[in-house]
Amino acid sequence: MTSSSDKKPPRTHAPATKVVHSGRAPHDNYGFVNPPVYRGSTVLFPTVEKLWKRDQEFTYGRSSTPTVKALEEAIAEIEGGVATALTASGYQAVSTAILAFVKSGDHILMVDSVYQPTRKFCDYMLAKLGVETTYYDPLIGGGIADLVRPNTRLIFTESPGSQTFEVQDIPAIARVAAERELWLLMDNTWASPLYFKPFDHGVDVSIQAATKYIVGHADAMLGAITSNARAAKQIALAKEQLGVCPGSEETYLGMRGLRTLATRLAQHQRSGLEIARWLEGRPEVARVLHPGLPSHPQHAIWKRDFLGASGLFSVILKPAGPKAVAAMLDGLKLFGMGFSWGGYESLVIPFDAKPYRTATKWEPEGPALRLHIGLEDVDDLRADLEAGFQRLTAAK
């Protein structure tokens, strides 16, 4: 006879299984595999009493629909949070999440390597509302305690850093946030819900530009704010009061993209690392900024905390003039030049982080390029870059 103490705990599904099955209830939708797209604003109530009490699950299209609810539940489960709130873009997810916790007179700590629009939101909108921002070194770790003031309300992290790919010591920062009773927010877009588990490392709110890897096809704008139990009410209130809501079609495209996230991200990781290793050996390249490479200064932190890498990283070229860089990039056949990333297509942009770093200095050896490695054949991508390097060298 087997005692209750001998029973094994129920099996938890693997992430790849969760992305396929979370947020789906086919038999509630006549057996159709995918949930339907609910388009609408008005939701009818059967009685006056129910209308006055708002006594039903859906009350108005802006607040939620069955389509929105399905994707929110799926992302929350995959990321390990209590609740997810969808937004119309990743930038809106950032601004909504910050506004959920601050008021006039507050102070926030913002990582210096953050996504540029987030910096602009702090420097303009938050300043206009009377909220002060201090930018901090992404490598500060537990030393961030020295920057906390009596009116500090939250710490915002983004790891790896946008464009320059510094990996933050999130657990060390989380310990300071917990000790000082601060909110800890993280832009987790690079790793997606699969390759970094923010709530296991002390984060209160995880932000996704779902436009990127969740949608995955460069055809919709979408954001997601996932929170723990401590932060869920504040996020829900901010979403409602700010009138934040995603589009119906965009939500459906996010759900569609989510189903293949594990498969796509694994390929982005494989191809990205292969190209990154190849670039390390190129004579035109000074450095490759990829956290998954042993040469990366914070590789040990990445290896400790992350479960994988995406297809986005940067390279620093050896000194070359603007005309040579333009010759390299203008002739690329497979790498498109455009903002965003996370889709099936490979992308490249030149960048210079000097103008938007204030707490740290950005001093590269030469021009900087950010690459997103898509789902194309790696040999074809390598050949495209090699031809670009030949143009770069010829134009010097």
Side-chain angles (χ1 to χ4, degrees):
M1 184 175 177
T2 303
S3 67
S4 58
S5 61
D6 293 330
K7 292 181 179 178
K8 293 182 179 180
R11 174 180 169 80
T12 301
H13 289 136
T17 301
K18 288 181 180 180
V19 299
V20 173
H21 290 276
S22 298
R24 281 201 309 124
H27 296 294
D28 291 343
N29 297 299
Y30 304 98
F32 284 94
V33 170
N34 295 307
V37 181
Y38 282 80
R39 306 175 183 87
S41 53
T42 301
V43 181
L44 301 180
F45 294 81
T47 66
V48 171
E49 181 181 10
K50 283 186 173 290
L51 184 147
W52 279 114
K53 293 181 178 180
R54 305 291 196 271
D55 184 21
Q56 59 187 38
E57 185 173 7
F58 302 103
T59 59
Y60 189 58
R62 172 171 49 76
S63 298
S64 189
T65 69
T67 312
V68 170
K69 180 187 175 185
L71 183 53
E72 288 179 339
E73 288 182 347
I75 293 175
E77 181 179 353
I78 295 163
E79 196 149 34
V82 168
T84 293
L86 292 182
T87 67
S89 69
Y91 185 28
Q92 190 177 62
V94 167
S95 60
T96 301
I98 293 174
L99 289 173
F101 300 105
V102 299
K103 64 183 185 305
S104 181
D106 283 346
H107 169 253
I108 71 168
L109 293 169
M110 175 63 64
V111 63
D112 201 34
S113 54
V114 75
Y115 172 60
Q116 276 191 76
T118 302
R119 180 182 284 269
K120 291 177 181 177
F121 175 75
C122 294
D123 292 346
Y124 176 73
M125 187 59 69
L126 287 188
K128 185 178 176 182
L129 295 175
V131 178
E132 185 180 358
T133 301
T134 294
Y135 293 96
Y136 66 88
D137 187 335
L139 306 183
I140 198 169
I144 201 168
D146 296 335
L147 301 180
V148 176
R149 304 176 185 175
N151 63 332
T152 302
R153 184 71 167 163
L154 64 82
I155 302 172
F156 195 101
T157 64
E158 179 180 314
S159 186
S162 184
Q163 297 186 338
T164 49
F165 292 90
E166 298 89 344
V167 180
Q168 295 190 253
D169 191 340
I170 299 297
I173 296 173
R175 285 192 289 272
V176 173
E179 290 166 2
R180 303 298 182 89
E181 297 184 341
L182 306 176
W183 298 102
L184 181 58
L185 282 60
M186 179 178 180
D187 187 329
N188 190 35
T189 304
W190 181 85
S192 89
L194 295 184
Y195 287 171
F196 186 83
K197 298 299 182 183
F199 304 106
D200 292 345
H201 296 288
V203 173
D204 294 303
V205 177
S206 176
I207 297 161
Q208 295 283 337
T211 304
K212 275 63 171 181
Y213 283 118
I214 290 176
V215 169
H217 293 75
D219 55 4
M221 304 291 291
L222 200 65
I225 311 168
T226 303
S227 50
N228 60 14
R230 177 174 174 248
K233 287 184 179 179
Q234 284 88 338
I235 294 296
L237 186 61
K239 178 187 176 182
E240 184 66 23
Q241 293 188 342
L242 292 170
V244 171
C245 64
S248 302
E249 298 296 332
E250 289 78 6
T251 300
Y252 179 81
L253 291 172
M255 182 71 81
R256 181 207 60 181
L258 185 71
R259 302 310 179 197
T260 60
L261 176 61
T263 302
R264 288 186 289 105
L265 204 58
Q267 186 60 51
H268 285 299
Q269 175 175 227
R270 283 192 295 270
S271 296
L273 282 168
E274 187 172 342
I275 293 291
R277 293 187 189 106
W278 174 74
L279 286 168
E280 278 196 309
R282 292 293 309 188
E284 305 88 353
V285 173
R287 280 185 292 150
V288 179
L289 307 179
H290 190 309
L293 294 177
S295 58
H296 190 281
Q298 294 88 52
H299 176 71
I301 294 177
W302 172 83
K303 195 171 182 179
R304 180 194 70 189
D305 294 344
F306 285 74
L307 303 174
S310 65
L312 190 75
F313 63 94
S314 291
V315 298
I316 310 300
L317 301 177
K318 291 179 180 177
K323 290 184 178 179
V325 174
M328 174 187 178
L329 300 184
D330 288 348
L332 292 173
K333 305 299 183 183
L334 299 179
F335 283 84
M337 284 187 288
F339 299 103
S340 196
W341 42 273
Y344 55 82
E345 76 285 7
S346 291
L347 297 170
V348 60
I349 58 166
F351 72 91
D352 180 7
K354 285 181 183 178
Y356 42 91
R357 297 297 282 266
T358 55
T360 54
K361 289 185 178 180
W362 171 247
E363 297 178 326
E365 297 88 330
L369 306 176
R370 190 185 70 182
L371 301 171
H372 177 253
I373 306 304
L375 303 180
E376 301 94 338
D377 182 86
V378 172
D379 288 339
D380 290 336
L381 294 177
R382 193 160 32 218
D384 197 27
L385 289 172
E386 188 162 20
F389 284 131
Q390 291 173 358
R391 292 190 299 274
L392 176 81
T393 301
K396 281 186 177 180

